[in-house]
Amino acid sequence: NIQNDNCDITTADIEGPFYIPNSPALSNLIPNNITPNSIIIITGTVYANDCITPIPNATVDIWHANEGEYDKTTNTFINSNYEDDFYRSKINTDNNGNYAFQTILPGKYLNGSYYRPSHIHYKSSYFNSNELTTQIYFDGDTSITTDPWASTPAATNRIITLNLDNNNNLNGVFDIILDI
């Protein structure tokens, strides 16, 4: 749990041009035939602005690139043998404000002269109000320092650590504090 004396609203980040509304309600975004060490499991809790009160039934809408690129003409993901829905989902938190999903580690892609770090986009809200659009990044990613969004002080609390579990899956925690 987050301590109330260190309570900060989750900071916003760019939406990017590839958000698609009406994502499917999936918690497993892992395509078939994925090798271990590329699967990540993200869990977290959505809290109110007191950083103590969990928000049940909050919306957590996620999307990311697959092996490293989005299709810029159709808002789908390219370099993929899978359906477009595999790398986007819209889930709701449980009665305790918790959410979880499994996916693959997002790839990096060239953005001008530098690579964007691996990241997952989030759009979170409670009953369609106080919507927050942000991104998470992963500790140790060498592209964070050159990325104009990931390298800002506002992104510090959105760079999460991934730990390897006994099944060779990477696990991370990202709690979201909405201004509610």
Side-chain angles (χ1 to χ4, degrees):
N1 270 356
I2 297 169
Q3 299 298 319
N4 193 24
D5 58 349
N6 191 19
C7 185
D8 292 316
I9 304 297
T10 301
T11 55
D13 204 334
I14 60 169
E15 179 179 286
F18 305 111
Y19 173 71
I20 303 171
N22 304 316
S23 294
L26 303 170
S27 60
N28 184 347
L29 308 178
I30 303 170
N32 296 330
N33 303 321
I34 291 296
T35 59
N37 295 344
S38 64
I39 295 173
I40 62 172
I41 301 166
I42 305 292
T43 60
T45 304
V46 178
Y47 290 101
N49 58 13
D50 64 1
C51 298
I52 296 171
T53 307
I55 302 176
N57 206 33
T59 299
V60 179
D61 197 346
I62 59 160
W63 69 99
H64 67 82
N66 59 5
E67 287 86 20
E69 195 166 319
Y70 303 97
D71 182 331
K72 295 171 181 63
T73 59
T74 62
N75 276 3
T76 58
F77 303 97
I78 65 171
N79 300 327
S80 175
N81 296 322
Y82 318 110
E83 295 179 27
D84 297 336
D85 290 348
F86 265 86
Y87 301 110
R88 60 188 188 100
S89 178
K90 189 174 191 177
I91 53 181
N92 290 325
T93 58
D94 66 14
N95 289 336
N96 297 312
N98 299 314
Y99 74 93
F101 64 92
Q102 301 174 42
T103 189
I104 64 168
L105 188 62
K108 297 180 181 189
Y109 56 86
L110 197 58
N111 187 34
S113 62
Y114 67 93
Y115 279 90
R116 290 274 353 253
S118 294
H119 60 280
I120 298 176
H121 296 267
Y122 276 71
K123 189 180 287 271
S124 303
S125 63
Y126 183 59
F127 289 112
N128 296 319
S129 66
N130 296 84
E131 184 175 83
L132 169 72
T133 301
T134 195
Q135 297 179 42
I136 61 170
Y137 305 97
F138 305 104
D139 192 33
D141 189 319
T142 57
S143 297
I144 288 175
T145 58
T146 58
D147 184 78
W149 300 283
S151 65
T152 68
T156 301
N157 292 334
R158 295 183 284 107
I159 300 172
I160 67 169
T161 301
L162 296 175
N163 295 302
L164 196 62
D165 67 19
N166 293 335
N167 295 318
N168 289 325
N169 296 319
L170 296 167
N171 291 265
V173 176
F174 180 58
D175 292 333
I176 302 165
I177 314 301
L178 292 179
D179 193 14
I180 295 176

